[in-house]
Structures are given as C-alpha cells and as structure tokens.
Amino acid sequence: MRIWNYNKSRIHSYRGAKDVIITLDKNEIFKGEIERACGGIEGGTEAFGDTILFTTDENILECVSRNDDAYEGEMFDSDEPDDVPFERPRTADAGDENRPFTRAVGNIDGSTSPLPPRPATSMVTEGDVIVFKGKQLLLCFTATWGDMHYLTGLEVVGRDGEALPVNINMMNGSPRDLHSLPGHENDDRTLDKVIDNNNLTTSDEHMWMIPFTEGQNHTLSIEFSQTQLISGLRVWNYNKSREDTYRGARIVHVTIDDKQVSPPEGYLIRKGPGVCHFDFAQEISFAPQTKQPQPTVSKSESKHLRKSTMSTDEASQEYENVQMPSGFIYQLQMITTWGDPYYVGLNGLEFYDAQHNRIELTENNISAYPDSVNVLDGTSNDVRTPDKLIDGFNDTLDGTHMWVAPILPGIVNRVYVIFDQPTTVSMIKLWNYSKTPSRGAKDFALLVDDLLVYNGNLQAVTQGARGIIPGVSAPQKYHTILFTDNKEILRKEKHTVISNQTGDQDIQLTNDKQVVSHYNDPKKADSGKPVNQQLRPKTSLVATKKRR
C-alpha cells in the first residue's frame, strides 16, 4: 500500500496525516506514523508519503517492482518540449472517480532521473525507515582520496539509528592490516581499531590501515550471528592530519548476503577534516536515493573564474566569482571582529542550493570551533550555541537566538556547515552579531572542503538597525555571498551583496613564527597588540522562564 500525503506546498504539507490506523474487515493491519510529504514536486515516492509492505517475500516484491510505475515511469514523454509547464496533479474533488495522477518521477525541466532498480535483497519498511535484512555485510573499497590507506572507525546502523554490536570475531579484512608488508609486523593500526569506539581522534593508534593496490578489491566483512535489520553505516574516515586525510577511503560498494545494496557507482565517503573540531561522522543510508537535479549553469557560470561587471541597476559584485561550489564541509573562518578582542559572534546564516531553494539545516549540520563561550572556565549553560545560527530567528536583538564564542590565542574561530553528500551552494546569507555590534565578525573567509572560495568583509550592525527610538528597531540587514548570476536573484539581493572595499590593514611578517616586521595603522591604537587574557570580560546568557 502506497500513501501520498497532502502536498499542496511545503507549509501546507503539515496538514498531512501523521498517525494512521488501517483495518481490513475490522481487523487492524497497520498502526503507526506515515511520512510527511516534501511540499515540492521532486524526488521519489518516499518524498511524498510512505509505502507500507505487508510481505517480505522476495518473489512478490520483485513482481511489484516490475509493475510499479513509480520505479519505471517518467513525468513527461521524451518527445514533449522541455519548457512544458508543470501542472499540479488533479485532486479528488472534480467528480472524477479515477485516482488523481500524483506520480513523482523525473524533473520538471524534462530531464529524468528514474529511481535505481530495486536491489536484489530483502528490503523492508519498518515504520518510516527502509532497512535491509541480512547476516553478512561486505564493504568493498575501490578508491582512496589520493594516498594508499584507510579508515578511522565504523558503525553499522540499525533500524532506529542505533549502532549494532560488532566484535572482532565477527570481522575480517582483506588485506587485514599492514602486517603483511615487510617492516610493518608491529604496526598497531589493526582491524580491531575500526570498532574500538575511539573515533573522534587524530591519533593513528585508533585507526585501521591497509596497503592499497589500484584495481584490486579491498574488503571488510562483518558476519552477524543472526539476521539483522540494517539501515546504513556511520563512518569516521582516516583523520591523522590534514595531509594524511588523503589516505582515507573514497568509494565503497556494499552488499548484504551477497546482494548489492549500493548504487553501481558506490557510496562516496567524505574525506576526514584532519582535526577534531567537530564530530566528523558521516551517515550513509542504504535507502534508495534519487539523483539530485543538476544545476542549470549559464555560459558565464561555466567559466572557472570570471570578473562580474554590471550596471548600477543590477547587483554589484566587486569580487571574483567562481562556479557554484560543491562539497561536503563549508567552513567560515572569522579572522577579525569590529573591535572586540575577546569575543566573536553571528546571529544566523542560511544556505541555498543550486535551484536557489533554502537548505533545511539541522543541529547535525552545524558546528563551531571554539564551540561557544561554554568552553571558558567558569562558564556553563550559556544558550548562545552554534545551533542558534540555524534556528530561524536571525533578525533579532534577543541574545538567546545568537552564537558567540571566545577569541583564544593562536586559534582562528570557525563555523562549520557539514553535509553527508556533496552539496552545491548558490547563495549564503549571513546576519552579523547584533547584541554587541563590536563582537560581530568583520574579515572572514569561506572554505569548501579546505579550498578557499571566497573572502570578504561583513558589515557591522549599525545603530539604525538596532533602533534609535527605545523599544523600536528597524529590520536588521543580512549580507549575501552570491555564486550565481541568475538575474532574478541578483535583482532581489542587489542591496545585500557583500562588496569588497579597500580598507586600512595591518601587516605582520613572520619567520618560523617569529615576528620580523610589523606595520600598524596609526589610527588604531590597539592594533597588533597582544590581548591580555586575564582582562577578558565575563559574558553569560542563560535561558530563563518568562513570567506570564
């Protein structure tokens, strides 16, 4: 049974049914929660509701898949023009007794991305999670990130997201470790380190490494004592240092009971960050995935690097613009503030995908280093943590919806936005810290998978934005980084695009960490002076219950 939930729009999708009871001849055959529809028109059947299976018989499921239009159909015929406008499927109130057409396969621009065929293994739906039944899990690694070696840690994920218990007696590797190489008989990077639970580390004593030969199979097998429900993997890639992360695994093919569950090209494993600023575990789901629509790239966007020159009527982009970046980890480095030498903060941020739709971020997607003022001795329970950057309350003077962190000696403050799949970004919106404008970020850089793609200057929150009249404040301006030349987006964002303006700079030349020359702007009395950490002012904001 397949249920298409209410899908008029993203907001209206919350009107859809949630808890459902299904009876057959007054006998209850299903009771549970069904998935909310996505509110859009893209994605496979899982994006529009739920499929409930009443059998795990493989022959029956194969017959169903061969006759299931949702696996084989296309939204438009191949001979239809590409510019055919999408029409909302008919609803059931038009007097037509036929089932409304609400199949969602393919893209509205005519390019189709049919779902991959059903894997030849026992795939069942448990509640709203697709899981696979099996006893033997086999991982075959076919590529690294450039070097010849592998993995930090791994967990097999069960139906409810829990880690299934695995011990070394259940595991086997081929090659098993580096002991097969002359001179490496005592290397401690053995197979048992994959499951020693010391995953968030840069110590290679807790990592697994094997010799890699291109073109050959490199496998890790796990044999359970009984059939398990397996939904995916949780992977910590090799993370000894930034340079050594290129030894990490890049492509893995997965089979369960000798039947393939991974796509033909395998799963792409995210490269380790080389640091432990955040939990770099990657969630890999075995549920069939639809291919994301490719961004429509104009001729000017397809150039690797271009200089944008536009009339004053259009958005002014005074920076070098590159093709839309795509990667796993987006990193904002806050280099300076607007005057405060002890703290830096932001109100919020938003990321937009290649189709210019806002990406829904969760707490699993956001992290910071240092995390917040809670890392300071004597400070705890401060609510200005990284998750406030994505809570949706950005145009605010309420400190409980902001993030702030201490500036520590020798450390660059960073905000990380982490994805489990490569994600293309067309636009980023930033709201600077408004509670104490001098603590707002000023000079910053944006890196994607450790590659610098943009640096600029984020304007401080002005007094006008904070409100001249007591109790009244004007809307706070956000600032936009654009990686698209879509004319409609440029028109909308022309007053918010960050423009690089030449300003006074401090220059410091070092040799082996020793300062050999230093120029300070004479207008800045404190420029270049080391900060006395003992003079750090206290700051704390703890959530309290409001009086009614």
Side-chain angles (χ1 to χ4, degrees), residues 126-158:
E126 293 285 330
D128 58 354
V129 179
I130 295 178
V131 296
F132 293 83
K133 286 185 176 181
K135 293 180 62 177
Q136 184 187 58
L137 176 67
L138 179 66
L139 311 180
C140 181
F141 302 95
T142 58
T144 72
W145 280 100
D147 209 327
M148 300 292 112
H149 316 88
Y150 283 150
L151 219 56
T152 298
L154 178 143
E155 291 179 350
V156 182
V157 180

XYZ file of all heavy atoms in Angstrom, residues 126-158:
255
model
N 10.287 -0.474 7.892
C 9.971 -0.585 9.311
C 9.563 0.803 9.792
O 10.401 1.669 10.007
C 11.193 -1.092 10.094
C 11.579 -2.530 9.762
C 10.633 -3.513 10.402
O 10.099 -3.195 11.474
O 10.443 -4.597 9.849
N 8.251 1.033 9.942
C 7.795 2.376 10.254
C 8.046 3.277 9.074
O 7.539 3.055 7.987
N 8.876 4.323 9.255
C 9.200 5.222 8.150
C 10.648 5.057 7.715
O 11.211 5.937 7.071
C 8.934 6.679 8.550
C 9.732 7.089 9.772
O 10.384 6.206 10.364
O 9.713 8.274 10.119
N 11.276 3.918 8.061
C 12.675 3.683 7.727
C 12.789 2.461 6.832
O 12.187 1.420 7.106
C 13.530 3.463 9.011
C 14.980 3.194 8.653
C 13.430 4.682 9.924
N 13.541 2.598 5.743
C 13.815 1.466 4.861
C 15.054 0.755 5.376
O 16.101 1.370 5.568
C 14.022 1.922 3.411
C 12.724 2.515 2.856
C 14.489 0.770 2.535
C 12.844 3.035 1.446
N 14.927 -0.544 5.631
C 16.033 -1.337 6.165
C 16.210 -2.581 5.315
O 15.337 -2.958 4.523
C 15.780 -1.733 7.645
C 15.738 -0.513 8.530
C 14.498 -2.543 7.780
N 17.361 -3.219 5.483
C 17.679 -4.441 4.768
C 17.925 -5.547 5.784
O 18.592 -5.335 6.806
C 18.919 -4.257 3.891
C 18.713 -3.306 2.743
C 18.822 -1.940 2.926
C 18.400 -3.783 1.483
C 18.620 -1.063 1.879
C 18.200 -2.914 0.428
C 18.310 -1.557 0.632
N 17.365 -6.717 5.495
C 17.576 -7.868 6.354
C 18.773 -8.660 5.855
O 18.899 -8.908 4.655
C 16.337 -8.759 6.373
C 15.166 -8.211 7.173
C 14.030 -9.231 7.237
C 12.898 -8.723 8.123
N 11.812 -9.720 8.211
N 19.625 -9.084 6.771
C 20.756 -9.890 6.358
C 21.668 -10.218 7.522
O 21.568 -9.631 8.606
N 22.573 -11.178 7.278
C 23.532 -11.600 8.295
C 24.956 -11.180 7.945
O 25.763 -10.953 8.829
C 23.489 -13.131 8.463
C 22.198 -13.655 9.044
C 22.229 -15.177 9.175
C 23.336 -15.640 10.116
N 23.321 -17.102 10.293
N 25.251 -11.070 6.644
C 26.624 -10.761 6.251
C 26.669 -9.421 5.525
O 25.987 -9.216 4.518
C 27.203 -11.853 5.342
C 28.670 -11.600 5.004
C 29.210 -12.570 3.979
O 28.691 -12.657 2.876
N 30.255 -13.302 4.353
N 27.490 -8.533 6.039
C 27.694 -7.211 5.438
C 29.104 -7.178 4.869
O 30.077 -7.454 5.575
C 27.517 -6.119 6.490
C 27.793 -4.682 6.047
C 26.764 -4.210 5.032
C 27.822 -3.749 7.253
N 29.224 -6.828 3.584
C 30.532 -6.789 2.927
C 30.757 -5.401 2.346
O 29.942 -4.896 1.565
C 30.610 -7.834 1.808
C 31.943 -7.879 1.025
C 33.067 -8.332 1.939
C 31.823 -8.801 -0.179
N 31.857 -4.780 2.736
C 32.253 -3.478 2.221
C 33.472 -3.664 1.330
O 34.471 -4.246 1.761
C 32.601 -2.514 3.363
C 31.595 -2.410 4.511
C 32.093 -1.418 5.544
C 30.225 -2.003 3.997
N 33.371 -3.168 0.104
C 34.478 -3.290 -0.847
C 34.940 -1.871 -1.203
O 34.198 -1.102 -1.822
C 34.037 -4.043 -2.106
S 35.362 -4.256 -3.313
N 36.165 -1.525 -0.800
C 36.727 -0.207 -1.054
C 37.489 -0.230 -2.380
O 38.355 -1.075 -2.584
C 37.658 0.204 0.082
C 36.994 0.216 1.430
C 37.078 -0.877 2.283
C 36.271 1.320 1.852
C 36.468 -0.863 3.516
C 35.651 1.335 3.081
C 35.747 0.252 3.923
N 37.157 0.710 -3.248
C 37.767 0.710 -4.583
C 38.598 1.946 -4.871
O 39.249 2.007 -5.910
C 36.680 0.574 -5.664
O 35.737 1.653 -5.531
C 35.946 -0.761 -5.529
N 38.560 2.956 -3.997
C 39.337 4.175 -4.255
C 39.604 4.891 -2.940
O 38.822 4.795 -1.984
C 38.599 5.109 -5.221
N 40.730 5.605 -2.886
C 41.053 6.463 -1.757
C 41.011 7.911 -2.223
O 40.761 8.202 -3.391
C 42.453 6.144 -1.204
O 43.438 6.610 -2.146
C 42.632 4.653 -0.989
N 41.293 8.827 -1.307
C 41.327 10.239 -1.649
C 42.679 10.653 -2.228
O 42.954 11.846 -2.376
C 40.990 11.095 -0.425
C 39.516 11.149 -0.187
C 38.790 10.433 0.712
C 38.573 11.971 -0.879
N 37.461 10.737 0.629
C 37.296 11.690 -0.341
C 38.673 12.910 -1.901
C 36.134 12.317 -0.798
C 37.524 13.541 -2.352
C 36.275 13.240 -1.792
N 43.519 9.693 -2.568
C 44.776 10.026 -3.236
C 45.957 9.215 -2.738
O 46.853 8.873 -3.496
N 45.953 8.882 -1.447
C 47.029 8.079 -0.893
C 46.582 6.615 -0.871
O 45.569 6.261 -1.454
C 47.388 8.585 0.505
C 48.856 8.326 0.857
O 49.381 7.304 0.406
O 49.452 9.150 1.567
N 47.282 5.789 -0.151
C 47.098 4.353 -0.318
C 46.456 3.634 0.870
O 46.526 2.435 0.942
C 48.467 3.691 -0.581
C 49.150 4.215 -1.836
S 48.295 3.746 -3.356
C 47.691 5.357 -3.885
N 45.874 4.380 1.818
C 45.459 3.691 3.042
C 44.132 4.202 3.572
O 43.568 5.119 3.021
C 46.557 3.860 4.110
C 47.939 3.647 3.576
N 48.687 4.663 3.026
C 48.702 2.533 3.459
C 49.850 4.197 2.618
N 49.878 2.907 2.867
N 43.673 3.610 4.753
C 42.259 3.736 5.081
C 41.764 4.390 6.359
O 42.083 5.519 6.640
C 41.597 2.366 5.015
C 41.347 1.918 3.626
C 41.364 0.580 3.328
C 41.096 2.810 2.631
C 41.135 0.145 2.051
C 40.876 2.381 1.353
C 40.893 1.058 1.063
O 40.672 0.622 -0.197
N 40.978 3.693 7.193
C 39.800 4.114 7.946
C 40.084 4.355 9.429
O 40.943 3.720 10.010
C 38.755 3.012 7.819
C 37.302 3.362 7.655
C 37.065 4.261 6.489
C 36.494 2.107 7.488
N 39.317 5.255 10.047
C 39.404 5.501 11.486
C 38.427 4.622 12.256
O 38.812 3.863 13.133
C 39.092 6.977 11.803
O 40.058 7.790 11.160
C 39.148 7.229 13.296
N 37.151 4.730 11.973
C 36.161 3.953 12.705
C 34.908 3.768 11.891
O 34.662 4.461 10.900
N 34.082 2.813 12.312
C 32.875 2.476 11.564
C 31.845 1.888 12.505
O 32.186 1.170 13.447
C 33.220 1.498 10.442
C 32.082 0.970 9.569
C 32.543 0.835 8.126
C 31.621 -0.401 10.073
N 30.576 2.213 12.258
C 29.464 1.595 12.957
C 28.430 1.143 11.950
O 28.186 1.830 10.951
C 28.812 2.574 13.951
C 29.674 2.920 15.139
C 29.012 3.912 16.080
O 27.956 4.466 15.705
O 29.553 4.126 17.176
N 27.834 -0.015 12.195
C 26.709 -0.488 11.393
C 25.439 -0.004 12.068
O 25.242 -0.209 13.273
C 26.712 -2.029 11.276
C 25.562 -2.488 10.383
C 28.043 -2.519 10.727
N 24.588 0.686 11.306
C 23.422 1.358 11.873
C 22.191 0.479 11.719
O 21.914 -0.036 10.625
C 23.195 2.720 11.189
C 21.976 3.413 11.784
C 24.434 3.590 11.346
N 21.448 0.327 12.808
C 20.230 -0.462 12.797
C 19.008 0.351 12.423
O 19.096 1.505 11.986
